Amino acid sequence: MHLLNLDPDVKVLLPDGSTRTLTTFLLPSALLMLASLMLMISMFVPYWGMTMYAPQYPKGLTVNVYVSHLEGDVREIDALNHYIGMPPLDEGGRLERSISTISIVAFALLLIAGVFVHNQWAGILALPVIGYPVIFLADLFYILYTYGHSIDPKSALGSAIKPFTPPLFGEGVIGQFKTIAYAGSGLYLAVGAVLIVMLGLWFHRAAYKPIVDARKKMKAQSA
Amino acid sequence: MKLKIVSIIVVLTTLLAACGGPSTSAPVASGLPVDAAAIAKDRGLTPDDVAAALKTYMPSGKTDPYIMFASGGQSGQVLVIAMPSMRILKVIGVFTPEPWQGYGFGGSGNKVLEGGKVNGKEVLWGDTHHPNLSETKGDYDGEFLFINDKANARVAVIDLRDFSTKQIIKNPNAINDHGGAFVTPNTEYVIEGPQYAAPIGWEYAPLDQYKEKYRGLITFWKFDRLKGRIDPDQSFQIELPPYWQDLCDAGKGPSDGWFFCNSFNTELATGGIELGNPPFEAGTTKNDTDYLHIFNWKKAEEIFKAGKGKKINGMAVIDLETAIKENILYFAPEPKSPHGSDVTPGGEFIVVGGKLDPHVTIYSFEKIQAAIKAGNLNKDAYGVPVIPLDKVMEAQVELGLGPLHTVFDDKGYAYTSLFLDSAVARWSLGGPYEKKHPEPGWKLVQKLPVQYNIGHITAAEGDTASPDGQFVVALNKWSIDRFANVGPLLPQNFQLVDINNTGDKMKVLYDMPIGMAEPHYAQIIKADKLKPFEVYPKVGWDAEKMAVDPNAVTDPKLAGVKRDGKNVTVNMVVVRSHFTPERVEVQKGDHVVWRLTSIEQQRDATHGFALSGYNINLSIEPGKTEVIEFDANQAGTFTYYCTEFCSALHLEMIGYFLVKP
């Protein structure tokens, strides 16, 4: 912490006359801003992916899920899925994808706002970010479940495959395909942002609670 | 003996592993040589056989370093062959309809074949002779391939993005050709040299007017690389004496801007064995020399652009008088029944073989220029200046009987096919090439017997400015006893020759039967220079125009049948394993425009489309749009179905076409 002590000759004077280093206040702001940045970056990389291997697909078929769109062999996976009457991949999570960009920007802005809110409300502002990865995964699970359970019995091979839920992470088997699902760098960034937000809030509390307490104390004294 | 085989295999396998052989598996296991030796012994293979096998075998999943494009001769096609494994990768339909590619059975290939009509008449075969890859600075660039049809004087353009024929162009003033389709060093022109003289403009004239009315005619087709098409409006021809011009090559480096063709029949023989005249075979071989034709094509281009060509059948022709006056054309004698005219990699020399002369004659471009400059040249019967042989000859090398064609390697050797000797002659080039090989220049180094009657010869990039060496292929006309008997019509024999070692160490590695064509020339390109599409770049691709078809319907929801009076439009979407729509009903007499689009994007997910009874079969590769147009003049119940096994439910990929009476 000594190394991080910026401008050691500058002290912050609290209402009760005690002092703190400048770093005490810069650190939580920096952490919250960093988390906000990570969240913004995460929009440009995939959150989740699945690769399907079969003998006639030596390179596998991959779908990469971004918060706003899908990439990869979507057309080919759809072409195969139609045999069991699955809806096109693009139909899952349409609402979520349409609002994802604006929501994430809003979440990130709330974090930045937390930098300027010097009391416990900063924690409330950070709540959407903290909950976000879990909500993402829960929604993804719901979408995957819906896919696997929307097999059309009237389709060519619909009667040959029982409803299933593709794995959220790890390996699974569907027909001749071995599937491997994995988190993408976007999800890692989002989870990392959560951890950094928690750390940031801890330092935020360490920095601003004394001020809040000192104010209370002064108020009590003057009363 | 056994020990020797084992040791050779050990050395070879170690070498192979060292040269970047299989990297995923462990180096060839110690157990293998013993097994391999047992197999070799069992099959009676010599150490040379084993070495040849190791040099040509391509394990599953590995691809070859070279691709050969061979003409198909009378099959009218082009063969694509991977080397050194000598596996056929593809047969490209060019002048001949080819049902596997759906070429000429209703789709866009019909439009291409249409361009090859001769006087409005469909001619659905060709005698493909000399494939030539497009070049940049004298090296293959892997973008286009050109080939001529000797029988009808046509030239075709093949786009190597999808390995399919895009254009066939009929020479308006000639009925046959031979010296094509050779390109200039930057593919400015695709050159179609003539063969049998005929009246210009392809008219009637009796043979007793041969000398006056009959002419040779060389065509410089302008190639528009951006459009990927020959542009006849920017092309021109030069009138020549009625000698039979034969094989040609463009100058490069110092000789860029010049073009060379050998010729025969300076005797002006007109045949007539039945009248007691000498037959052509005797009449055309009487003279001791014929003429090497030397063209200044850059000068000819200037004259054409200055508007000095006469339009004949819409094509600008520079007449012989103008060609002589403007210093476009010169001759130099070439010995007895010459064949081939091949420019050395650096562009310094032109090599000409003589079918009935045991030598190859090497002409120096520098000396040609000096002689032209010195002037004071005699003229032939048609007024063309003739440069004496001793003024332009650099060397003559005695090789053996029937030298025809010459190709080159990276070690300063030349390789000439010897038809009568059934051999490949390796000989050393002199001049600037002398230091590249251990032998003195202009000497025969080795004669390798080949089986049998070699015609053309080709080497890896062996006619470019920078040959690769490594391999030569002997394109043998006869195979006699090389393969199992398949009746009186025998396959041709492509023999792969290892030319890696200097000196007299050439070896035959492999015999490849060609059982669907009689190839003439072939060219070999480094495989990594080719950059073809894996699938068409956009869904709705018109492969003939190489652009998206604006009318392509790519959404199954928009597919269907529309009627406008007697005109019916079918917009069909094709994807595994169904056509949309699956029912098409029309009235007898309706005119049907049927547009099919594959919305597949998966590599190799190709569909076919056959319409029974209507002579229609298409190949619809991923992303491709094809349009067929016909009159439903047969009433009845027809089926259409996928002809390319596409999926587990391929047989179910069908539809009914109902024509109400």
Side-chain angles (χ1 to χ4, degrees):
Chain A
M1 202 46 75
H2 190 75
L3 277 175
L4 279 174
N5 198 354
L6 300 169
D7 300 322
D9 52 337
V10 177
K11 298 283 181 212
V12 178
L13 178 66
L14 266 53
D16 61 356
S18 64
T19 61
R20 297 286 190 280
T21 60
L22 190 58
T23 311
T24 313
F25 302 96
L26 292 179
L27 186 62
S29 304
L31 288 172
L32 290 179
M33 285 194 282
L34 174 65
S36 162
L37 182 69
M38 286 165 71
L39 216 53
M40 300 291 276
I41 292 170
S42 79
M43 291 194 292
F44 301 98
V45 287
Y47 265 57
W48 184 82
M50 180 186 258
T51 303
M52 308 164 61
Y53 294 96
Q56 55 275 71
Y57 296 95
K59 287 183 192 160
L61 292 172
T62 298
V63 57
N64 282 315
V65 174
Y66 292 68
V67 285
S68 58
H69 65 285
L70 306 175
E71 273 185 13
D73 305 305
V74 176
R75 194 187 273 268
E76 182 62 11
I77 293 171
D78 283 343
L80 295 171
N81 282 351
H82 100 275
Y83 284 116
I84 53 173
M86 264 195 185
L89 291 182
D90 195 51
E91 281 183 15
R94 268 204 178 156
L95 171 72
E96 293 90 323
R97 277 183 280 129
S98 67
I99 60 168
S100 64
T101 305
I102 193 149
S103 309
I104 291 174
V105 170
F107 293 177
L109 286 176
L110 287 177
L111 279 188
I112 302 289
V115 171
F116 301 97
V117 174
H118 298 157
N119 53 38
Q120 60 272 41
W121 286 101
I124 303 293
L125 292 176
L127 268 183
V129 174
I130 293 169
Y132 165 58
V134 176
I135 294 166
F136 174 87
L137 286 173
D139 188 40
L140 181 63
F141 182 83
Y142 167 73
I143 293 167
L144 291 173
Y145 176 90
T146 312
Y147 272 131
H149 289 76
S150 53
I151 290 168
D152 181 355
K154 281 183 284 185
S155 62
L157 304 172
S159 52
I161 286 199
K162 285 191 188 122
F164 65 97
T165 305
L168 202 51
F169 297 111
E171 292 185 12
V173 174
I174 309 162
Q176 82 267 43
F177 283 93
K178 188 179 132 187
T179 65
I180 301 171
Y182 39 83
S185 38
L187 190 57
Y188 287 118
L189 279 169
V191 171
V194 170
L195 297 177
I196 287 172
V197 164
M198 308 272 248
L199 196 65
L201 288 177
W202 192 78
F203 283 116
H204 188 277
R205 187 173 186 276
Y208 295 109
K209 186 140 192 307
I211 301 180
V212 174
D213 289 350
R215 280 200 190 111
K216 273 185 195 160
K217 210 163 138 192
M218 298 292 289
K219 224 178 213 172
Q221 275 171 7
S222 67
Chain B
M1 187 64 181
K2 189 176 169 183
L3 247 177
K4 198 176 164 194
I5 294 178
V6 171
S7 61
I8 280 181
I9 294 171
V10 170
V11 169
L12 281 170
T13 47
T14 324
L15 254 171
L16 223 68
C19 301
S23 57
T24 46
S25 55
V28 185
S30 54
L32 177 64
V34 180
D35 293 351
I39 295 168
K41 192 182 167 207
D42 197 39
R43 295 189 61 198
L45 301 178
T46 66
D48 273 357
D49 295 338
V50 174
L54 289 177
K55 282 186 176 172
T56 53
Y57 174 68
M58 199 52 67
S60 177
K62 296 217 178 243
T63 58
D64 291 82
Y66 287 100
I67 302 287
M68 169 161 54
F69 292 92
S71 78
Q74 320 88 312
S75 83
Q77 300 165 328
V78 165
L79 316 181
V80 185
I81 297 163
M83 279 180 53
S85 70
M86 307 303 273
R87 294 178 292 182
I88 294 185
L89 298 180
K90 199 170 217 176
V91 175
I92 304 173
V94 185
F95 298 103
T96 307
E98 204 294 310
W100 166 61
Q101 295 151 81
Y103 181 69
F105 295 92
S108 60
N110 285 52
K111 283 189 225 162
V112 179
L113 285 164
E114 190 104 332
K117 280 189 173 178
V118 178
N119 256 2
K121 185 179 170 57
E122 267 190 340
V123 177
L124 295 178
W125 77 287
D127 189 12
T128 54
H129 267 245
H130 309 111
N132 259 247
L133 288 152
S134 56
E135 293 181 10
T136 301
K137 291 181 184 159
D139 261 320
Y140 302 152
D141 53 41
E143 292 187 358
F144 295 93
L145 183 79
F146 311 96
I147 194 157
N148 66 314
D149 162 28
K150 169 170 169 169
N152 304 289
R154 297 181 294 179
V155 172
V157 180
I158 295 163
D159 193 325
L160 294 178
R161 282 175 293 177
D162 66 350
F163 282 58
S164 74
T165 308
K166 301 299 174 199
Q167 184 184 23
I168 298 176
I169 196 152
K170 168 76 192 95
N171 194 318
N173 292 325
I175 188 59
N176 70 81
D177 67 30
H178 189 260
F182 300 106
V183 299
T184 51
N186 287 302
T187 323
E188 296 95 341
Y189 291 96
V190 178
I191 299 169
E192 187 188 12
Q195 181 104 84
Y196 309 124
I200 286 198
W202 180 25
E203 286 166 355
Y204 170 79
L207 277 161
D208 56 16
Q209 295 174 13
Y210 186 87
K211 193 177 174 197
E212 303 78 35
K213 294 262 175 82
Y214 282 56
R215 289 294 178 267
L217 189 68
I218 188 167
T219 309
F220 289 74
W221 294 109
K222 179 76 188 163
F223 184 60
D224 183 336
R225 200 186 275 260
L226 266 181
K227 288 193 185 133
R229 297 286 188 279
I230 284 170
D231 181 354
D233 294 337
Q234 301 297 315
S235 307
F236 61 92
Q237 304 183 305
I238 305 173
E239 179 191 1
L240 302 172
Y243 312 143
W244 294 356
Q245 293 79 18
D246 190 22
L247 276 151
C248 309
D249 200 2
K252 51 193 164 226
S255 53
D256 187 13
W258 293 74
F259 198 77
F260 312 94
C261 299
N262 77 293
S263 71
F264 58 108
N265 197 18
T266 48
E267 298 85 350
L268 306 183
T270 55
I273 186 172
E274 64 284 4
L275 306 170
N277 296 341
F280 278 115
E281 60 181 5
T284 62
T285 52
K286 213 169 70 196
N287 290 354
D288 281 337
T289 57
D290 291 289
Y291 291 130
L292 174 67
H293 290 42
I294 302 163
F295 299 90
N296 183 343
W297 69 257
K298 287 236 163 112
K299 183 76 192 174
E301 183 184 44
E302 263 173 47
I303 296 303
F304 158 65
K305 286 190 174 158
K308 293 189 191 167
K310 279 185 211 145
K311 288 262 177 183
I312 302 177
N313 292 327
M315 186 91 174
V317 181
I318 299 172
D319 63 29
L320 186 55
E321 199 184 321
T322 310
I324 296 166
K325 199 175 82 197
E326 301 289 349
N327 305 321
I328 290 169
L329 180 62
Y330 296 91
F331 287 161
E334 29 179 28
K336 202 88 182 157
S337 288
H339 202 63
S341 156
D342 298 294
V343 177
T344 50
E348 311 88 347
F349 307 113
I350 303 108
V351 179
V352 176
K355 291 187 296 250
L356 304 179
D357 182 281
H359 298 91
V360 279
T361 304
I362 296 105
Y363 297 79
S364 154
F365 181 72
E366 209 180 310
K367 289 181 182 171
I368 290 172
Q369 291 305 300
I372 289 173
K373 213 171 201 180
N376 208 8
L377 300 168
N378 289 331
K379 306 212 158 173
D380 87 324
Y382 289 88
V384 181
V386 181
I387 312 170
L389 183 56
D390 59 353
K391 287 260 184 349
V392 289
M393 194 177 85
E394 182 73 17
Q396 263 190 333
V397 186
E398 186 170 343
L399 300 181
L401 299 178
L404 299 182
H405 308 277
T406 301
V407 287
F408 306 94
D409 72 3
D410 56 339
K411 297 180 203 70
Y413 290 124
Y415 301 82
T416 299
S417 51
L418 303 177
F419 180 82
L420 299 174
D421 274 348
S422 262
V424 169
R426 169 187 259 181
W427 51 280
S428 58
L429 293 169
Y433 302 92
E434 187 126 11
K435 285 185 194 135
K436 294 187 161 191
H437 47 68
E439 296 83 3
W442 314 125
K443 287 272 176 294
L444 174 66
V445 176
Q446 184 190 0
K447 259 164 83 171
L448 176 76
V450 290
Q451 290 73 33
Y452 302 90
N453 287 359
I454 178 173
H456 273 274
I457 183 170
T458 181
E461 310 221 339
D463 58 8
T464 69
S466 59
D468 276 19
Q470 304 211 47
F471 300 109
V472 148
V473 177
L475 310 177
N476 301 310
K477 299 294 183 191
W478 285 15
S479 62
I480 309 182
D481 55 3
R482 294 292 108 173
F483 307 111
N485 187 358
V486 288
L489 178 61
L490 275 70
Q492 313 288 300
N493 186 14
F494 275 20
Q495 274 181 316
L496 181 70
V497 178
D498 182 1
I499 58 163
N500 263 304
N501 300 313
T502 54
D504 59 355
K505 300 287 190 298
M506 285 194 295
K507 284 201 171 92
V508 170
L509 294 177
Y510 194 77
D511 284 23
M512 177 198 193
I514 301 289
M516 76 301 269
E518 195 242 303
H520 291 267
Y521 190 42
Q523 282 187 335
I524 302 165
I525 184 174
K526 198 98 203 316
D528 59 16
K529 283 190 180 173
L530 298 165
K531 307 267 184 258
F533 295 146
E534 292 200 343
V535 295
Y536 283 114
K538 285 195 175 125
V539 172
W541 196 261
D542 177 341
E544 191 239 336
K545 295 199 167 65
M546 285 302 231
V548 171
D549 178 350
N551 296 317
V553 169
T554 58
D555 182 350
K557 290 189 194 99
L558 302 177
V561 182
K562 272 184 227 156
R563 170 176 289 281
D564 176 15
K566 282 195 118 2
N567 294 315
V568 175
T569 305
V570 183
N571 284 315
M572 180 166 275
V573 171
V574 182
V575 70
R576 277 161 290 166
S577 307
H578 54 274
F579 298 103
T580 311
E582 289 185 329
R583 295 175 183 184
V584 176
E585 193 166 304
V586 302
Q587 284 286 340
K588 186 180 174 193
D590 281 347
H591 182 72
V592 182
V593 175
W594 196 317
R595 182 175 282 106
L596 303 98
T597 300
S598 165
I599 58 169
E600 301 278 5
Q601 283 286 272
Q602 168 62 31
R603 208 172 172 199
D604 215 355
T606 296
H607 297 287
F609 176 83
L611 180 54
S612 308
Y614 276 88
N615 195 30
I616 283 167
N617 182 46
L618 306 173
S619 169
I620 316 173
E621 297 94 54
K624 194 183 193 187
T625 289
E626 282 277 18
V627 185
I628 49 180
E629 206 171 332
F630 60 92
D631 291 317
N633 45 21
Q634 268 189 91
T637 302
F638 303 87
T639 50
Y640 49 88
Y641 69 95
C642 176
T643 42
E644 172 101 14
F645 204 105
C646 61
S647 60
L649 298 175
H650 161 72
L651 297 180
E652 289 77 358
M653 191 162 173
I654 87 126
Y656 278 97
F657 178 55
L658 305 168
V659 184
K660 280 197 235 168

